[in-house]
Amino acid sequence: GELRIDAGTFNYGSGNNTMNFTNTATPGSVLNMSGGTINFLGVVSFSSDVDVQFNMTGGNINVDVQATNNSASSTAAFSIGASTTVNWSGGVVTIIDPRATAGGGSFANATATNKIITGGKLRIGDGVSVTTGGTLSNTSGFGLSGVVWDLEIDNLTNISTSRMARTTGTVT
């Protein structure tokens, strides 16, 4: 199926939910975003399949794994599989808070040829939230890996060292 956001606001989850875009039928799940705002309170996951698509030309996607409830998933807060079809030319994806416990990253976008990224921004932190993450270690904080066009770190670290941003792989 398709989730299309052109205007307005769509809210999903309470922090411990997962929005899975998978290929259970042909064509697979598609997110088409050209405007508006999506607030994913939990994890967003695009499975590794060419029929699963992430298309973003505008708008804002906010992901918070520590909303009312904390995400227990070890999957990155926003993950895009290696075979997922990506067309990202605008808009902003914001990862608001790190996980409450160690494990799992914040953003993972496996490199592949079927990803066209000519714009858009990945923002780590929203510049306002002071929610602490798990104890600072190699598996806590905001972990990043993959391909992005524009990376902005707008994160308050004066409250807690567990909100530090770190790369866990190549970020290009």
Side-chain angles (χ1 to χ4, degrees), residues 45-171:
S45 177
F46 294 87
S47 67
S48 184
D49 190 298
V50 295
D51 287 330
V52 175
Q53 298 178 30
F54 169 59
N55 303 310
M56 187 171 189
T57 59
N60 296 291
I61 297 175
N62 300 310
V63 181
D64 191 353
V65 294
Q66 288 197 67
T68 305
N69 300 296
N70 293 331
S71 172
S73 173
S74 61
T75 304
F78 193 92
S79 65
I80 301 172
S83 298
T84 304
T85 300
V86 175
N87 293 290
W88 188 3
S89 62
V92 179
V93 174
T94 302
I95 311 297
I96 296 172
D97 290 318
R99 294 185 174 283
T101 58
S106 291
F107 179 81
N109 180 15
T111 305
T113 58
N114 56 332
K115 294 187 167 107
I116 301 169
I117 301 173
T118 59
K121 179 184 290 191
L122 173 65
R123 179 180 293 137
I124 300 302
D126 64 357
V128 178
S129 181
V130 294
T131 304
T132 61
T135 304
L136 186 62
S137 71
N138 288 343
T139 60
S140 67
F142 289 104
L144 313 170
S145 65
V147 178
V148 297
W149 182 263
D150 184 7
L151 174 64
E152 175 183 322
I153 299 176
D154 189 8
N155 188 31
L156 296 174
T157 57
N158 57 335
I159 303 301
S160 170
T161 58
S162 66
R163 292 187 61 88
M164 299 295 184
R166 63 183 168 72
T167 59
T168 56
T170 302
V171 177

